Amino acid sequence: MRKRVLFLLLLLVGCHEVWAWGFYAHQRINQQAVYTLPAEMIGFYKQHLPYITEQAVAPDKRRYAVPEEGARHFIDLDVYGDSAAQKLPRFWETAVKQFSLDTLQRHGIVPWHIGLVQYQLTKAFKHHDLQRILRLSAELGHYVADACVPLHTTRNYNGQFTNQRGIHGLWESRLPELWAPEYDFFIGPAQYLQNPSKTAWEIVARAHAALDSVFSVEKQLTQTFSEDKKYSLEERGATTVKVYSREFSQAYHLGLHGQVERQMRLAVHLVASYWYTAWVDAGQPDIRNLTPLTPEQKQQLELEKTQYQTGEHDARES
Ligand SMILES: [Zn+2]
């Protein structure tokens, strides 16, 4: 019974603490990204495909255990006024000075966090650190994908202020679960990003610009669907859950003219492009036959880290 109530809450209430792209979409995005990598990288990533895929959801899983994790998945751009994505400070330290750490954490930090993880991944490539390359690749994939979700860029993230509660799960879980098998994931090769931090801001700006239709299409449809047609009950294992009906979900899918598919394709392309950029910026190391670092090598890296702990990125790593 307890489990059942929980599921209902997850599906209908939704909150920053609960949702990201559904697990399915996150895993699919990381998986597809691997196939767009250049020859020098694809072998390595394919070899570790199960890990890269499974760990795509690790950041969401640890949100309950790590208090500061939640803020890394979203940014409520609208609390900062018009054109926030263009106006907010790009440098973390400047942003902290201007708004305070508390405020930033409360309203989300995803674009800054993408910059940080990108920096860490570049370093991991430089150090030929197999385990960190894998972990950071999988997690960077998660944060980049989250930044592509329009509802991750607004304080009205679950329609709670516009009587559209549940819209978060509808957009990023229900729709991909139903239609992603039909999505076209034929995407061109990964591209080098001249300025990965700046790209992160462009991603959230674009996602934010898509919000208008996310809300308006749902609103229009709700006027034409009765409550019992809008929702249905589905069996999930031993529980029955209330979900958006297939008919309503399909109408929303059509009304959005492929928006979820577009954003998911964009996510795949960007995730691969971030990995590729980190590898290029690290000097294109040979990763074809990487083995885990020995304890001695790890110790050496730790030593170097404490010796050279300067700069904004290192400061946030602790
Ligand atoms: Zn997330």
Side-chain angles (χ1 to χ4, degrees), residues 164-175:
Q164 294 173 288
R165 231 171 246 281
I167 194 168
H168 202 122
L170 172 65
W171 195 99
E172 67 175 20
S173 293
R174 184 69 168 149
L175 258 51

Side-chain angles (χ1 to χ4, degrees), residues 19-20 26 60 63 73 142 146 152:
W19 288 108
H26 268 301
D60 276 342
R63 288 169 84 152
H73 301 245
H142 182 101
D146 273 358
H152 279 239

